[in-house]
Amino acid sequence: MTSMNRAMRQQRWADVLIEGESIQRGKLTAQLSDELDSAIETAGNRLAEINLEEGEACLRAGEKQRASEHFMLAAQYARTEEPKRRAEQLLRDLQTFPEQTVASASASSCCASGCQSAPLDNSEVSVMWDMETRLELALSSYPPEWVERYIETGIEFKQALLMSHEGLLDEALAEFEAVPDSARDDLFYFERGSLQVRMNDLKKGRGDLERAVHLNPRHELAMESLVSLDIASRNLPSAESRLQAMLSAELAPSFCYSRLAMISAGKDDEASAIEYGKKALASGPVDMETLVLQASLLEKTGNLAEAEALLASLPAGGCGGGAHVLLAEFWLRQGKSLKKALESFKGSSRQDPENLRWPMRIAQTYLALGWHKDGQAMMKKVLSAPGLDKNLKQEAEEIVNFYGK
């Protein structure tokens, strides 16, 4: 719990989940159990929000494949219904509608109705896509060299794959059973295993993923999935062993180093985590989670210029652009570029008006700028709002007490 709470204070959301989900609940008091639930929900939803923001930014930039990856991560991390529903709807939109329609919908959801997200209404589209087009969309996030293999698979497998990607999980599982034994290759076991994991049948899912790797030792997506399962179940020695084996085989080095960084950070081995993070960044594109972890560790160890440069590489947020909120929060902590940070927080508040984090950050920035009257009044209003997250409430109370002296 101590390690998890430290990760919460440092906003290392992935570490919060790793630590929180490893805790034996039977040893906790009711109060600590509630605290654990709150931390896991906050961290999961925060990671979901980060990936939703990233995905929508990718859509606006026309990067459909990267958008799909972020939306899948958002759906995986979300702990409450609203962000999960948004992520799943955006994934369905990506797989069902033309790219120009999705891009238009994303732009509309960003710039209309006060920047509220507005997913497409399926009833507005009457055209049924043929299998070839649907398959092309489903495979848009896969490694290009694999697509041809998928196209050459049988009709039963393709139907099961499309059902799985379109959210028809039970139907997809039944359709996978119709695939002939002779056609059950590494692709089959990877897709069926991934589906079973999504359906929370982890034992069968792991078995299929292991079979995929047995049939194809260079199936990096299956190996990545197994590493993720190992980390989620806190089987860190197994995860580290898989990652080192992948590095030896020159498979997905950026992924491997990023996960080794995550594991090292969870052990409070900051020096190793930073070194692995640097190797991940040097090996190729990294996910948002890795970049944020690296920036957090660099800031914590006093490497402020490096941390700021990493956060500055994040895409601008809000309708009018501006700094990403994580960069704005860095500026706020460091007491610099406060007016630019304020504009970022105001943009986030317009886009997500129900999230009390943004008015709290606005109030903090007012106080940091010396606008004490407005800042204290706004912070007290935040404190009186129902549903304020426990950690944000504690932070707000400390700020009010400090400035009230």
Side-chain angles (χ1 to χ4, degrees):
M1 290 290 289
T2 301
S3 179
M4 182 194 73
N5 287 331
R6 181 167 59 251
M8 281 289 290
R9 290 192 298 273
Q10 297 168 355
Q11 298 182 13
R12 292 187 285 114
W13 307 118
D15 287 344
V16 173
L17 293 185
I18 291 173
E19 296 294 341
E21 292 176 350
S22 71
I23 293 171
Q24 299 179 33
R25 290 179 175 271
K27 297 183 178 182
L28 300 182
T29 64
Q31 180 179 350
L32 287 176
S33 183
D34 289 344
E35 183 178 332
L36 173 61
D37 289 337
S38 175
I40 289 176
E41 180 177 311
T42 298
N45 285 344
R46 186 66 196 109
L47 284 170
E49 288 171 10
I50 289 170
N51 278 284
L52 284 169
E53 291 172 7
E54 284 292 293
E56 290 175 340
C58 289
L59 276 186
R60 291 193 290 274
E63 299 180 6
K64 183 173 176 292
Q65 177 177 336
R66 289 185 61 200
S68 175
E69 293 168 358
H70 283 299
F71 294 149
M72 284 190 283
L73 284 171
Q76 173 187 336
Y77 285 126
R79 290 300 191 274
T80 53
E81 184 61 31
E82 198 280 330
K84 186 176 181 66
R85 180 195 60 76
R86 274 186 64 200
E88 291 176 345
Q89 182 64 58
L90 285 163
L91 276 171
R92 286 194 294 271
D93 293 343
L94 278 175
Q95 294 161 1
T96 309
F97 300 107
E99 291 194 22
Q100 62 268 28
T101 304
V102 176
S104 173
S106 176
S108 173
S109 69
C110 174
C111 298
S113 304
C115 290
Q116 293 296 304
S117 176
L120 293 171
D121 182 356
N122 289 6
S123 65
E124 295 177 1
V125 178
S126 59
V127 177
M128 288 296 292
W129 288 74
D130 59 34
M131 178 174 287
E132 182 179 350
T133 304
R134 290 164 61 211
L135 187 64
E136 181 181 347
L137 290 170
L139 297 175
S140 62
S141 63
Y142 284 57
E145 63 271 18
W146 288 25
V147 173
E148 186 174 346
R149 287 190 64 199
Y150 275 89
I151 291 173
E152 292 175 353
T153 57
I155 186 67
E156 298 90 353
F157 178 77
K158 288 176 181 174
Q159 288 175 335
L161 175 68
L162 290 172
M163 289 175 181
S164 176
H165 277 257
E166 291 166 5
L168 303 173
L169 306 189
D170 292 325
E171 295 89 336
L173 190 58
E175 190 65 27
F176 274 123
E177 295 305 314
V179 175
D181 290 344
S182 60
R184 298 191 175 192
D185 57 6
D186 58 312
L187 301 183
F188 169 85
Y189 287 107
F190 169 67
E191 293 295 345
R192 192 177 71 171
S194 300
L195 173 62
Q196 288 166 332
V197 169
R198 288 170 64 196
M199 298 175 76
N200 291 319
D201 192 343
L202 302 186
K203 183 177 180 180
K204 288 184 178 179
R206 183 186 288 274
D208 272 359
L209 292 169
E210 294 276 15
R211 184 68 184 275
V213 172
H214 175 75
L215 292 172
N216 179 4
R218 298 192 65 80
H219 198 304
E220 61 185 65
L221 294 183
M223 294 190 75
E224 289 178 9
S225 298
L226 287 166
V227 168
S228 297
L229 286 174
D230 285 338
I231 291 176
S233 64
R234 294 294 289 173
N235 190 353
L236 300 185
S238 177
E240 290 176 292
S241 177
R242 290 185 198 277
L243 290 166
Q244 293 296 347
M246 291 175 70
L247 286 172
S248 297
E250 299 183 346
L251 286 175
S254 181
F255 170 85
C256 294
Y257 287 126
S258 71
R259 293 309 179 263
L260 287 168
M262 184 187 301
I263 292 170
S264 296
K267 296 176 179 178
D268 290 329
D269 185 354
E270 294 167 358
S272 295
I274 289 173
E275 285 306 307
Y276 281 132
K278 288 180 179 178
K279 289 180 179 180
L281 290 164
S283 300
V286 298
D287 56 30
M288 176 82 161
E289 189 177 341
T290 300
L291 193 151
V292 172
L293 172 62
Q294 182 74 351
S296 173
L297 291 170
L298 288 169
E299 181 181 1
K300 183 181 177 183
T301 54
N303 297 295
L304 302 183
E306 292 181 64
E308 184 174 7
L310 272 184
L311 294 173
S313 71
L314 296 173
C319 294
H324 193 284
V325 288
L326 295 180
L327 176 59
E329 288 183 327
F330 172 87
W331 285 336
L332 178 58
R333 289 192 296 272
Q334 300 303 322
K336 60 183 295 185
S337 303
L338 293 176
K339 290 188 177 180
K340 289 197 287 186
L342 181 60
E343 290 307 308
S344 176
F345 296 141
K346 286 181 176 180
S348 295
S349 185
R350 289 192 295 270
Q351 189 169 355
D352 187 12
E354 300 301 317
N355 192 337
L356 294 171
R357 178 182 175 195
W358 308 129
M360 177 173 164
R361 296 293 182 239
I362 292 170
Q364 282 180 272
T365 311
Y366 283 166
L367 292 168
L369 285 165
W371 305 342
H372 290 183
K373 182 178 179 181
D374 290 341
Q376 290 189 61
M378 192 169 189
M379 191 67 78
K380 289 176 181 177
K381 185 176 180 181
V382 169
L383 271 171
S384 65
L388 180 63
D389 172 79
K390 179 180 178 180
N391 292 283
L392 288 179
K393 182 177 181 180
Q394 181 179 348
E395 187 180 352
E397 287 173 343
E398 291 173 357
I399 293 168
V400 167
N401 291 336
F402 177 81
Y403 282 96
K405 292 180 181 179

